Amino acid sequence: MCSSEPGRAALLRGLRVARHAADRQVGPTKFMDRAGVRETGRLDQTFTPLALLASCLFVIFTAQLHASDRLTLTEAHAIALRTHPRVAGADLRSQAARQAVTQAKAAEFPTLNANFTAIGTADAANTRIGAAGTFSASQAYDRASVGLNATHLLTDFGRTASQVEVARQKSISEDSFVRTYQRQVELQVTVAYFATLQAQSVLGVAKQTVATRQIVLNQVSALASNQLKSELDVSFARVNVEEARLLVVRAESELNSGFTELSIHLGERTPRRYELVEESLPAELAEPVEKLVADALRERPRLIRLRADAAAAAAQARADHALNYPTVSAIGAVGLMPVRDRRLQDNYAAGGLVVNLPLFNGGRDTAKQRESELKARAAEELVRDEENNIIRDVRLAYLKVQHAQERLGLTAKLLAFARTAHDLANARYKLGASNIAELSQAQLNLTSAEIAEATAKYELLLQRAVLDFHRGIRTP
């Protein structure tokens, strides 16, 4: 267990700790030889079982602590989707919208109510109160009654069915909101993830540049002290070193910003540094852009939401049109009167049909129908506009991915040429065949090429993520 791979550096530290513990337990040792008694110092090769156990525990703890900060892009997506408040809020609204569907469907089922009424009349000649607790034109008597009232909508010529469709389409729209926020959060995490990796790569280039230019400065200073180079050369070399240090400072700032933004997206309110795992480069695009556009028009969550909104608006227009038609309902009532006047029977039952026919309401229903129809047409136009935007976004993202792929190959060639030119300029300067300005320009070109090569990979990864977002699919 102690020799497991994730923690060799920690293992060495653990062994040093264990050795120190053994030294403290054993102390100075002495042994006899021909010359007598000699003190040998610490016993470096003796480890007690307790010290070995402590070293193993230290290695395991350090390896686990190191592994806890290791983060892949897939893990970052999962954490963000689990903790981001916008995703959680959209999911709650989606659940609420499903309850609205149940509410709309309830109109298709009978309504059953239970009533209990107890009446004591002071003057039976002038008391008017019904058996179900409502005012009535019939004469009331002393009694206690228990009954059931039922109503059931037989037909309203499609209004209830249209209202159910409105609720169902709005539920689909809210579900699409959840997927929209999920894709947006994943894209934000991806951008922060690759930006941080890019800042780490640039920081590595900057530190290497400082080290390389410091070596040149030391060499030029030594030559100037021997009157082989001028102080002007030393000044140029110092300027180059300071420029490299400024690059380090800028890269460190960008790295801190990247970790801060990534931590916020992952639900951490204080910046946290992770060991980000590199992502492999994607394969070149093999599908034509027309297929990617078709995928986007089918899978993009925002477009699905707008289509659901348009369908809901059309269903609402049909429901409002049905206001011009009558509604037919069945009603019924049954009950018992265990305590009653002697002139009343001990039970009752009644049923009937109710037809409600709209005749005149000042043009309210007509105006409402017209309003719904106009809103439905406006929703269809929003769908068309979003389709045009999606086609544009996918085509532009496709072009950017192609450019990033070409840039990745060109930056590799540029770096190779810049290294060759730097080596030649450095050799010429050492031979005295060129001046410090030529070497400084070669150093600048090399640094620019290294930064360009370091950022080209992450630019390609980022543009592929943006293309997947516009297509409506999840980033792998």
Side-chain angles (χ1 to χ4, degrees):
M1 181 181 299
C2 294
S3 60
S4 59
E5 180 60 27
R8 291 187 175 180
L11 176 60
L12 296 177
R13 291 194 299 269
L15 292 175
R16 286 196 294 269
V17 171
R19 177 176 297 178
H20 181 64
D23 291 340
R24 295 184 60 182
Q25 290 184 4
V26 177
T29 58
K30 298 180 180 180
F31 64 92
M32 293 291 296
D33 64 358
R34 295 179 181 178
V37 179
R38 288 191 295 123
E39 182 174 341
T40 63
R42 302 294 183 182
L43 187 58
D44 292 336
Q45 303 299 324
T46 303
F47 293 95
T48 64
L50 181 61
L52 288 174
L53 178 61
S55 66
C56 290
L57 292 177
F58 179 80
V59 171
I60 295 172
F61 173 76
T62 305
Q64 290 179 348
L65 183 62
H66 181 73
S68 65
D69 291 334
R70 186 177 182 272
L71 185 69
T72 65
L73 182 58
T74 302
E75 293 171 346
H77 286 166
I79 294 173
L81 294 179
R82 188 172 60 250
T83 60
H84 205 286
R86 276 193 299 171
V87 176
D91 184 65
L92 293 174
R93 288 193 298 270
S94 176
Q95 296 179 34
R98 297 190 192 103
Q99 300 304 315
V101 177
T102 303
Q103 296 175 34
K105 286 184 176 180
E108 299 176 346
F109 299 94
T111 300
L112 187 64
N113 296 314
N115 297 289
F116 172 77
T117 304
I119 300 175
T121 60
D123 186 358
N126 59 13
T127 302
R128 300 284 191 270
I129 191 167
T134 60
F135 288 101
S136 173
S138 61
Q139 189 174 5
Y141 301 93
D142 292 337
R143 68 192 182 279
S145 60
V146 178
L148 295 176
N149 295 333
T151 61
H152 180 50
L153 177 66
L154 298 179
T155 180
D156 59 359
F157 294 90
R159 175 170 172 78
T160 298
S162 297
Q163 293 287 7
V164 172
E165 181 64 15
V166 170
R168 191 179 71 85
Q169 292 296 335
K170 287 184 177 180
S171 177
I172 294 175
S173 177
E174 292 296 337
D175 289 341
S176 299
F177 251 126
V178 176
R179 292 193 294 273
T180 298
Y181 284 135
Q182 287 176 341
R183 299 296 89 77
Q184 289 177 352
V185 168
E186 286 178 343
L187 180 61
Q188 291 171 351
V189 171
T190 301
V191 171
Y193 190 93
F194 289 144
T196 305
L197 282 175
Q198 178 177 309
Q200 285 181 335
S201 180
V202 172
L203 180 60
V205 172
K207 290 182 177 179
Q208 181 62 37
T209 301
V210 170
T212 302
R213 294 186 181 183
Q214 184 64 48
I215 293 174
V216 174
L217 174 60
N218 295 339
Q219 293 174 348
V220 173
S221 299
L223 293 173
S225 63
N226 294 323
Q227 304 298 320
L228 297 177
K229 294 294 180 181
S230 66
E231 289 297 324
L232 179 61
D233 292 344
V234 176
S235 299
F236 267 100
R238 286 201 183 100
V239 169
N240 292 337
V241 171
E242 296 305 320
E243 286 180 348
R245 287 174 179 170
L246 286 175
L247 182 61
V248 170
V249 172
R250 184 163 58 250
E252 288 177 344
S253 177
E254 293 177 354
L255 181 60
N256 292 332
S257 300
F259 276 121
T260 299
E261 184 173 358
L262 181 61
S263 299
I264 290 296
H265 289 314
L266 299 183
E268 301 284 348
R269 296 199 170 186
T270 56
R272 179 178 176 184
R273 286 182 172 262
Y274 298 91
E275 181 190 353
L276 303 182
V277 179
E278 292 282 350
E279 292 288 317
S280 59
L281 288 173
E284 292 189 4
L285 290 173
E287 298 174 321
V289 66
E290 287 76 14
K291 184 180 184 306
L292 302 185
V293 169
D295 293 341
L297 294 177
R298 184 180 61 255
E299 301 292 341
R300 185 75 179 267
R302 175 174 168 79
L303 183 58
I304 294 174
R305 176 175 63 84
L306 291 177
R307 286 172 177 167
D309 290 341
Q316 184 62 52
R318 294 193 299 269
D320 292 339
H321 179 72
L323 290 172
N324 298 318
Y325 301 113
T327 59
V328 181
S329 302
I331 61 173
V334 296
L336 299 174
M337 288 186 290
V339 179
R340 64 190 182 281
D341 188 276
R342 60 183 177 78
R343 290 169 291 182
L344 300 176
Q345 296 183 0
D346 60 351
N347 58 69
Y348 63 91
L353 292 176
V354 177
V355 179
N356 185 8
L357 180 63
L359 296 178
F360 179 74
N361 54 18
R364 181 194 63 190
D365 292 345
T366 302
K368 189 173 184 179
Q369 175 186 347
R370 182 60 178 165
E371 176 191 5
S372 299
E373 291 174 350
L374 293 174
K375 288 183 176 179
R377 291 172 58 186
E380 292 175 356
E381 295 301 322
L382 289 178
V383 172
R384 290 180 54 198
D385 180 64
E386 184 62 20
E387 288 176 346
N388 293 336
N389 292 336
I390 287 175
I391 293 173
R392 177 203 63 199
D393 294 340
V394 171
R395 290 186 178 276
L396 291 178
Y398 187 86
L399 293 175
K400 290 181 179 179
V401 169
Q402 288 183 325
H403 171 71
Q405 289 176 339
E406 295 175 357
R407 182 171 178 263
L408 184 63
L410 292 176
T411 53
K413 294 180 181 179
L414 176 64
L415 179 59
F417 294 149
R419 284 174 176 167
T420 301
H422 176 268
D423 293 341
L424 292 175
N426 192 28
R428 282 170 52 83
Y429 180 75
K430 290 180 179 179
L431 294 174
S434 64
N435 54 30
I436 189 63
E438 180 180 326
L439 178 59
S440 299
Q441 185 62 42
Q443 290 177 339
L444 178 61
N445 293 338
L446 177 60
T447 302
S448 300
E450 288 175 340
I451 293 177
E453 195 272 339
T455 59
K457 171 186 176 181
Y458 303 106
E459 181 68 19
L460 175 58
L461 290 170
L462 178 59
Q463 293 301 331
R464 282 298 296 267
V466 172
L467 178 60
D468 291 341
F469 171 79
H470 289 309
R471 291 176 61 189
I473 64 176
R474 298 190 64 177
T475 302

